[in-house]
Amino acid sequence: MSAPLFLVEALPTGDALTLDGPEGHHAANVQRLRVGEELLLADGRGGTAAAVVTAVGRGTLDLQVTSRGYTDASVPRVVVVQGIAKGDRGELAVQAMTEVGVDEIVPWAASRSVAQWRGDRGVRAREKWAATAREAAKQARRAWLPVVAGSPDESTQTVVRRIAGAAGAFVLHEEAEERLTTADLPATGEIVLVVGPEGGIAPAELSAFREAGARPVRLGPSVLRTSTAGVAALAVLATRLARW
């Protein structure tokens, strides 16, 4: 089993450090790491450090750094615009998409989204998506932490502008004739992938996205839930972009 990964604000400049706070508590009290065990530290921006536990305290670990590394950001960068879903479906989508390698997730306030992020509720919902992405990145041993955009969400017009500036953009749509498995992909820049909410993408939204340069695509004959469509599409892209 690979060494567990813990996210820190900044990697240590020296060879010794104490891991404390929430990550130290989780490492010492939940995972119960012991002296001599190895772990990974990551700053969420590509930097990593391997370390070995030298002492265990109450919610803390003393560590000795054994090596350092850096993982380049993926090119092209893959951004998923995820229509806000009700219940925990959005969080399920965020978790799975993070595990398979999404670079950024944009919470989209689609016209057919059942759940609406307004005021403090919206801020808390976005924070929950960000926390879900953080934990999923740790589970997947990712050196790069996905960005969760929005303040707390993004409007259709903001998504349109994002599409217009992308190197390639696609909208998952059940009536599309083109397949994502065969669509032309850019080699650099940013790929934007739009996933609708439970009620689907409204005709006006689809039209606006197409005018901005997005191409409707489908994955296959099945109609997937909003919580699974994005991760399925990311698996296709990861394969075609040789990430996998």
Side-chain angles (χ1 to χ4, degrees):
M1 184 176 179
S2 59
L5 183 144
F6 298 91
L7 287 167
V8 294
E9 288 298 322
L11 293 172
T13 56
D15 292 333
L17 76 150
T18 297
L19 182 66
D20 54 14
E23 294 291 77
H25 170 80
H26 188 76
N29 298 352
V30 179
Q31 295 204 3
R32 297 184 179 276
L33 296 182
R34 294 295 177 254
V35 173
E37 293 192 88
E38 297 180 344
L39 58 79
L40 290 173
L41 301 173
D43 60 9
R45 299 176 297 279
T48 58
V52 63
V53 180
T54 57
V56 180
R58 296 185 61 181
T60 66
L61 295 180
D62 289 341
L63 306 174
Q64 183 72 28
V65 174
T66 56
S67 65
R68 301 174 186 273
Y70 181 80
T71 301
D72 291 330
S74 298
V75 178
R77 191 167 182 270
V78 179
V79 178
V80 174
V81 175
Q82 174 67 53
I84 295 172
K86 64 181 179 181
D88 63 354
R89 290 180 182 174
E91 292 159 40
L92 290 172
V94 170
Q95 179 183 28
M97 291 191 297
T98 299
E99 290 175 2
V100 299
V102 70
D103 297 304
E104 183 174 352
I105 301 169
V106 179
W108 170 37
S111 63
R112 292 179 177 174
S113 288
V114 176
Q116 299 292 321
W117 289 4
R118 295 291 182 268
D120 291 342
R121 177 187 177 186
V123 172
R124 290 193 299 270
R126 183 200 169 277
E127 289 175 349
K128 202 164 187 178
W129 277 29
T132 299
R134 180 183 178 87
E135 292 307 308
K138 290 166 58 178
Q139 175 66 34
R141 315 293 199 267
R142 288 190 55 175
W144 284 89
L145 179 63
V147 175
V148 178
S151 55
D153 54 23
E154 300 285 14
S155 67
T156 297
Q157 286 305 310
T158 303
V159 174
V160 165
R161 291 193 292 270
R162 191 69 178 263
I163 289 171
F170 305 95
V171 182
L172 294 184
H173 198 275
E174 62 191 71
E175 297 179 0
E177 296 182 0
E178 186 177 11
R179 293 179 181 269
L180 185 58
T181 52
T182 57
D184 291 335
L185 301 178
T188 60
E190 189 171 273
I191 296 175
V192 174
L193 177 72
V194 181
V195 181
E198 295 99 325
I201 297 173
E205 293 167 336
L206 180 60
S207 178
F209 295 157
R210 294 185 70 160
E211 289 178 6
R215 290 145 55 192
V217 293
R218 63 185 305 163
L219 293 171
S222 301
V223 178
L224 303 182
R225 289 180 179 271
T226 186
S227 56
T228 55
V231 68
L234 282 169
V236 172
L237 291 176
T239 302
R240 296 196 59 204
L241 295 170
R243 292 190 178 188
W244 286 8

